[in-house]
């Protein structure tokens, strides 16, 4: 998954390393079965047959897209490809950005059961904003089925905790929230059980060109890296895929709109909470009274 993954458990388990490797391989295979993390169309009206898992992820992405009025959009793949933040050292041309942006739009996707149809050649979906969130839940489900009672799965900063922490009377796990201005520091902790803690921030993947930072969280409407009032946003939710998508969406829309979106999301996911860190370093929260914080 192009990241460092760690597993923490509190019991002896013969063959645990092999089990973890097997589960990671399985999750990676599921996410790439239909053509990779980025599934693209080579002609107008092309239909791709998705697995049940991927169809479910696309369906949930439509829900978040509708809530954000397209400020979150799984069909951002053409922009992700043209920016290529991981490997580029300078921005693409404005004409390339505009051409890619014209191919972005979840309303030009149609999902009927497991059949995903792209309206136009060159469109695509990018699972990067949802894959690790889903994988955390899927891996934990299999760990429990294999007799692992409790622990932490850390998929490159996407945290999934499960079971009762034997080192804490409350059974909760204390998860640190990274300081977006000093990634070696922690700005605080949330105390949680059986849920996901997922953070998005401009500090994660970026390059600098002519004194300006270009990060990996793209605004589907402008075609450029998102410019909101936030340095990072952390989402807590029992559904890892939703938490992953929301952390990206809220970073794009900013704190004010993000808080309104969270009120709507909480009607379906009452355990959802968020921690916003502004570009000026101010910390605000939504619904964190559900959890202990330090």
């Amino acid at each position: 998954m192009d990241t460092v993954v760690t597993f923490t458990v509190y019991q002896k388990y013969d063959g645990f390393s092999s089990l973890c490797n097997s589960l990671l391989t399985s999750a990676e295979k599921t996410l790439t079965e239909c053509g990779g993390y980025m599934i693209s169309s080579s002609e107008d009206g092309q239909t791709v047959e998705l697995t049940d898992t991927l169809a479910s992820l696309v369906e949930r992405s439509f829900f978040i897209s509708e809530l954000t009025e397209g400020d979150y959009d799984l069909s951002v793949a053409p922009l992700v490809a043209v920016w290529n933040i991981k490997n580029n050292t300078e921005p693409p041309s404005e004409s390339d950005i505009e051409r890619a942006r014209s191919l972005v739009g979840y309303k030009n996707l149609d999902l009927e059961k497991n059949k995903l149809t792209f309206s136009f050649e060159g469109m695509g979906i990018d699972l990067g904003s949802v894959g690790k969130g889903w994988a955390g839940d899927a891996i934990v489900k299999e760990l429990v089925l294999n007799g692992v009672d409790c622990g932490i799965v850390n998929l490159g900063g996407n945290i999934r905790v499960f079971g009762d922490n034997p080192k804490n009377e409350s059974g909760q796990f204390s998860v640190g929230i990274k300081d977006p201005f000093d990634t070696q520091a922690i700005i605080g902790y949330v105390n949680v059980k059986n849920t996901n803690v997922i953070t998005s921030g401009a500090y994660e993947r970026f390059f600098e060109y002519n004194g300006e930072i270009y990060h990996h969280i793209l605004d589907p409407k402008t075609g450029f890296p998102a410019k909101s009032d936030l340095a990072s946003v952390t989402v807590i939710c029992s559904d890892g895929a939703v938490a992953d998508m929301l952390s990206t969406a809220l970073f794009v829309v900013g704190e004010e709109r993000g808080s309104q979106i969270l009120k709507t999301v909480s009607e379906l996911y009452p355990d959802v909470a968020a921690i916003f860190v502004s570009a000026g370093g101010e910390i605000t929260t939504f619904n964190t009274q559900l959890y202990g914080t330090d």
Side-chain angles (χ1 to χ4, degrees), residues 26-273:
S26 177
E28 183 84 11
K29 180 181 178 183
T30 298
L31 290 169
T32 57
E33 276 176 330
C34 297
Y37 279 95
M38 295 174 67
I39 302 170
S40 301
S41 62
S42 57
E43 60 184 13
D44 292 355
Q46 182 172 343
T47 296
V48 177
E49 184 85 24
L50 301 180
T51 63
D52 290 344
T53 294
L54 294 188
S56 174
L57 292 180
V58 171
E59 186 174 30
R60 275 177 278 181
S61 82
F62 286 171
F63 167 64
I64 302 298
S65 295
E66 289 286 350
L67 279 180
T68 62
E69 299 178 340
D71 286 309
Y72 171 85
D73 198 320
L74 200 68
S75 71
V76 76
L79 281 171
V80 173
V82 78
W83 275 94
N84 191 13
I85 294 290
K86 182 179 178 181
N87 298 309
N88 273 355
T89 57
E90 62 182 82
S93 69
E94 290 198 16
S95 61
D96 284 345
I97 293 170
E98 183 56 30
R99 185 161 47 250
R101 192 191 65 79
S102 70
L103 293 169
V104 176
Y106 71 97
K107 290 185 178 180
N108 291 321
L109 299 173
D110 182 64
L111 182 67
E112 289 289 337
K113 295 185 178 178
N114 286 39
K115 296 183 184 296
L116 178 66
T117 301
F118 299 92
S119 294
F120 307 112
E121 177 186 350
M123 290 188 69
I125 60 172
D126 177 17
L127 297 171
S129 63
V130 64
K132 290 196 291 293
W134 166 82
D137 286 347
I139 288 169
V140 164
K141 181 180 179 180
E142 292 301 316
L143 286 173
V144 171
L145 288 174
N146 279 274
V148 181
D149 296 330
C150 65
I152 306 165
V153 176
N154 182 343
L155 294 161
N158 286 32
I159 309 297
R160 176 63 157 87
V161 300
F162 65 102
D164 291 321
N165 182 358
K167 297 184 178 294
N168 188 332
E169 284 187 13
S170 69
Q172 294 178 312
F173 293 86
S174 185
V175 179
I177 308 299
K178 189 176 290 186
D179 184 342
F181 306 104
D182 178 4
T183 56
Q184 302 303 310
I186 298 296
I187 60 170
Y189 296 85
V190 290
N191 302 310
V192 294
K193 287 178 67 175
N194 296 313
T195 196
N196 298 271
V197 181
I198 296 179
T199 299
S200 288
Y203 60 87
E204 293 175 329
R205 294 184 183 181
F206 63 90
F207 63 79
E208 185 174 352
Y209 180 75
N210 284 347
E212 185 168 353
I213 297 295
Y214 295 88
H215 60 77
H216 75 294
I217 304 176
L218 302 176
D219 184 332
K221 292 180 177 176
T222 68
F224 284 79
K227 291 185 177 181
S228 68
D229 56 355
L230 298 175
S232 73
V233 57
T234 298
V235 174
I236 305 166
C237 186
S238 55
D239 187 311
V242 169
D244 207 353
M245 288 187 284
L246 271 178
S247 69
T248 300
L250 299 182
F251 185 90
V252 173
V253 304
E255 180 189 336
E256 185 174 353
R257 268 190 72 204
S259 296
Q260 295 302 314
I261 289 167
L262 284 166
K263 289 179 182 178
T264 303
V265 174
S266 65
E267 295 174 6
L268 287 177
Y269 299 93
D271 68 323
V272 71

